[in-house]
Amino acid sequence: MASSESRYSPTSLEPKWQQRWQEMGLDRTPEPSAERAENFYALSMFPYPSGNLHMGHVRNYVITDVIARLMRLKGKRVLHPMGWDAFGLPAENAAIERGVDPADWTDRNIAQMREQLQRLGLSIDWSREVATCHSDYYRWTQWLFLQFLNADLAYRKEATVNWDPIDQTVLANEQVDADGRSWRSGALVEKRKLRQWFLKITAVADELLDDLEQLKGWPERVRTMQANWIGRSSGATLRFDIEADGKQAIEVFTTRPDTVFGVSYVVLAPEHDLVDQLTSPDQRQAVEAFRQSLQSISEQDRVADDRPKRGVATGGTVQHPFTGQAVPVWIADYVLPDYGTGAVMGVPAHDSRDFAFAKQYDLPITTVVVEPGQAPDSGEPSEAFTGLGELVGSAEFDGLQGEEAKTAIIQAAEQRGVGAAKITFRLRDWLISRQRYWGCPIPVIHCDDCGVVPVPESDLPVELPRDVDLSGSGGSPLERATEWKQVRCPKCGKPATRETDTMDTFMCSSWYYLRYTDANNDSAAFTNASIDAWMPVDQYVGGVEHAILHLLYSRFFTKVLQQRNLVSCSEPFQKLLTQGMVQGVTYRNPKTRKYIAPSAVSDPNQPTDPDDGEALEVFFEKMSKSKYNGVDPGAVVDRYGADTARMFILFKAPPEKDLEWDDADVEGQFRFLQRIWRLCDGAKASGLQLQSPLPLPAELTPAETDLRRAVHTAIEAVSDDLQGDELQFNTAVSELMKLSNAMAGQLEAVSTAVAQEAVRSLLLLLAPFAPHLADELWEQLQGSGSIHQQRWPEVDASALVRDTITVVLQVKGKVRGNLEVPAAISKDELEQVALASDVAQKWLEGNAPKRVIVVPGKLVNLVP
């Protein structure tokens, strides 16, 4: 029995073991093996250092930690690092609002969050910690930018930005309110064009799409999202001439060249360069008014499916490439300047969006594709026919069908010089310029004589200047940092200026996993040896909200670096787990839509608004400060300990599903760990030790056989749950519960060797989940070293063998009973036992069955 003085006290034992592990260097990355398969790289997506952990962080990092701890127990050499995605707008906003230095603010937040993470008992190698805002990191981000520049994969062009006319500064999309106004000045945001830096991600679009097939360890959902984002389309470009001599033209891309004879209008993006030229004097005012109306609407809203499409005629026309007829030109909100050519041909009879637009503005609708053998309807169709079919009203192409029709029209367009076959991508080149201070400086210099000049590698890093005026107005703060901005040209030595744009923070997060492999190298971002030893990442864990941009940019970086012989892998992440969100119970007034803090709810069973008495809606939603539904991880650790928090996070839901926070379930996990404590405390009181394994008895009692079967069933199940194609931490914890229940009250009934094996196995299986408790109990039971230095238990297949098995007995397909039979029983013997059973006699009423269906080891079905 457990002594009354021995109690599970996580608040005292967890800091003890965290200190002990640090002193032992338990989590430091060992020298990698020359055999890549013996090394394991476990990585969580690194966080922005906001200053406070939330439960989403906890779930992400605990999942990765379980995997890392398991792999160490299985003898792998593990790299499990952590860092900070530390540049970005929040720090700059804090500097403006609070008058603090963004670097100081960020470093304080990093220190605070590092301490919070360490309280969770994560087996992180902190010696490899990186922060993207520190110059020893962004030196190499700048070096990588120069690699892209040298490969002609970085370039400048004009692009549209959000402009605050009062503060005279560029705004990020998230700084523009829903009504199109600046979040700070309240001014109506304008669209302006600035010359900005891009990376040519479209240069590897084919590889990014085709190589998704290699990523078998990624969720299908994520691969589909990336494929859709890349969006490869096969079709043709067609030329609609403006002038009869063909000197100027609108070029459109279409995946349906077979519908070209159904074109009744051409639509340009309002920002298209040819709009002014095509607009007639009588339409100029309407066109300008329409353009102005789009200033406050985001591109995402412009193309939203549920939003009515708006447009206005320019008054201009172009020449149809096949018929030569005049086609009116419109501008519309749903056509974007940077997508395709910024122009589309309107074929309302065969495109649903064009159909709705044509009906709205009373434009002609001409059917040119019908079901094979079907005559076109007289009059206007009631809806668009969007499928492939047989061409009608298409001159010499009438009667052609489907792909044959497409091919014929493309060939004719090429012969006439009015079009060509083309493959396009939805994917656009990556705009990396940001007109802000708190980001990685772009390492180029602008010289009047030499143009754009790369900063010499020997002069990296180009460090951000300190003590910069961060007023939030007047353009980029770096523009006003005169001393920093004015330099000599590295080529000619004449006066020149630094680039004052900084990089998109995705630049920093697109390669950090490479830096971890050699994080303390002062002379290189990484080495071939470090990449070969650790890359690709074996298991990557993060939120599905990063499924497109971060993961796509990381794949882009890896492919370019491989092409330049800087890395040997073509993909960065071998396996990907996208964990679900952590949701909290949420109270909301249905009339006022106001969220109510749980502390203000007097009766959770019948919650009402304390202000007006209105009955509240109660539901689960992603944790958020504004919704008062968050749970502070520190408070949970203070009350229950990190091991309980870890166990709940892992047990409550499968990792890819959303998790609903429940205080009662947290209590349940705490009680489970208390039961394990009492179980081991009782074993300790009986003299059980784990110092060295004892030989098992030659003959086992029935109780010993049953206990060993429970132990090895758990080993097999937990191992499968943690290493299969789908990681199932929740069912692994269930298996631990089953094993502890099977052991309860049985340790005294079996030999010391069997009891020792059971306790040893339970603690080893528990170690990745509740590392502090497992190490404490291991030490109390005289285990050698730390439990995290041991080896994962192996399944003894012989222990799983049963002398008897239970077979289901059915009569006419319905279960009527069970048969306990010898495990080695033959099919014929099983049939005879079934027929002789009381159940068979009762339901067959003495009659012989017409058929007997025997599934060995599972069931017997008697068909009367």
Side-chain angles (χ1 to χ4, degrees), residues 65-84:
D65 190 58
V66 171
I67 296 166
R69 289 184 178 279
L70 170 71
M71 290 303 163
R72 288 194 190 96
L73 288 167
K74 294 185 79 66
K76 301 281 189 181
R77 305 182 189 199
V78 173
L79 170 59
H80 181 204
M82 178 57 72
W84 311 96

Side-chain angles (χ1 to χ4, degrees), residues 382-629:
S382 59
E383 61 180 358
F385 172 64
T386 59
L388 294 177
E390 182 177 328
L391 298 195
V392 296
S394 299
E396 69 267 30
F397 304 102
D398 280 358
L400 295 180
Q401 296 182 14
E403 296 299 330
E404 179 189 13
K406 288 184 180 181
T407 301
I409 288 180
I410 292 173
Q411 289 175 346
E414 291 174 337
Q415 291 167 1
R416 301 179 191 188
V418 295
K422 188 171 183 179
I423 293 175
T424 66
F425 294 88
R426 180 179 183 272
L427 181 68
R428 306 263 65 81
D429 281 344
W430 174 11
L431 191 162
I432 66 163
S433 286
R434 297 295 182 268
Q435 293 73 40
R436 298 195 285 272
Y437 167 74
W438 193 237
C440 176
I442 296 175
V444 298
I445 291 169
H446 300 283
C447 174
D448 289 341
D449 293 340
C450 305
V452 174
V453 181
V455 172
E457 290 184 13
S458 58
D459 291 346
L460 298 179
V462 176
E463 295 198 47
L464 280 173
R466 302 293 289 265
D467 301 321
V468 172
D469 174 26
L470 298 176
S471 64
S473 62
S476 169
L478 293 178
E479 285 280 1
R480 301 189 296 275
T482 308
E483 186 176 342
W484 175 86
K485 178 182 174 183
Q486 294 178 348
V487 292
R488 293 278 175 181
C489 173
K491 275 189 176 180
C492 68
K494 293 181 180 178
T497 58
R498 292 193 187 280
E499 172 62 66
T500 58
D501 282 357
T502 53
M503 298 186 204
D504 178 10
T505 56
F506 276 119
M507 283 288 291
C508 303
S509 62
S510 294
W511 76 278
Y512 76 109
Y513 49 90
L514 300 172
R515 182 60 175 165
Y516 283 142
T517 67
D518 204 1
N520 298 306
N521 190 334
D522 292 332
S523 58
F526 41 80
T527 63
N528 289 333
S530 70
I531 296 299
D532 291 344
W534 295 111
M535 288 296 296
V537 174
D538 292 281
Q539 180 68 66
Y540 199 34
V541 181
V544 75
E545 65 270 21
H546 301 296
I548 296 177
L549 295 184
H550 163 60
L551 291 173
L552 191 64
Y553 294 154
S554 297
R555 296 181 63 221
F556 169 46
F557 260 62
T558 303
K559 291 187 181 301
V560 170
L561 295 177
Q562 185 196 38
Q563 291 171 1
R564 295 185 65 76
N565 298 315
L566 293 170
V567 302
S568 52
C569 54
S570 63
E571 290 288 345
F573 313 118
Q574 186 169 324
K575 291 185 70 176
L576 173 68
L577 189 157
T578 52
Q579 90 277 357
M581 294 184 295
V582 180
Q583 299 181 325
V585 64
T586 308
Y587 298 95
R588 186 175 64 191
N589 187 313
K591 289 187 176 179
T592 65
R593 311 300 288 174
K594 181 179 69 173
Y595 290 94
I596 308 298
S599 58
V601 176
S602 57
D603 183 0
N605 295 317
Q606 292 183 317
T608 57
D609 189 325
D611 294 333
D612 61 13
E614 182 71 26
L616 299 177
E617 299 173 320
V618 184
F619 52 92
F620 281 93
E621 199 165 38
K622 181 182 178 181
M623 289 185 176
S624 166
K625 285 183 181 179
S626 63
K627 295 170 183 174
Y628 307 105
N629 63 351

Side-chain angles (χ1 to χ4, degrees), residues 1-7 681:
M1 296 292 293
S3 68
S4 59
E5 297 180 2
S6 177
R7 296 183 60 192
D681 197 40

Side-chain angles (χ1 to χ4, degrees), residues 673-720:
L673 295 183
Q674 287 178 314
R675 288 200 301 273
I676 292 180
W677 176 276
R678 291 194 296 270
L679 180 72
C680 292
D681 197 40
K684 175 186 171 185
S686 66
L688 185 71
Q689 295 185 2
L690 302 179
Q691 195 162 18
S692 55
L694 298 172
L696 294 170
E699 296 290 335
L700 299 178
T701 66
E704 290 172 339
T705 299
D706 290 344
L707 183 56
R708 291 203 75 233
R709 184 181 300 115
V711 167
H712 288 275
T713 297
I715 294 171
E716 182 179 54
V718 173
S719 298
D720 288 346

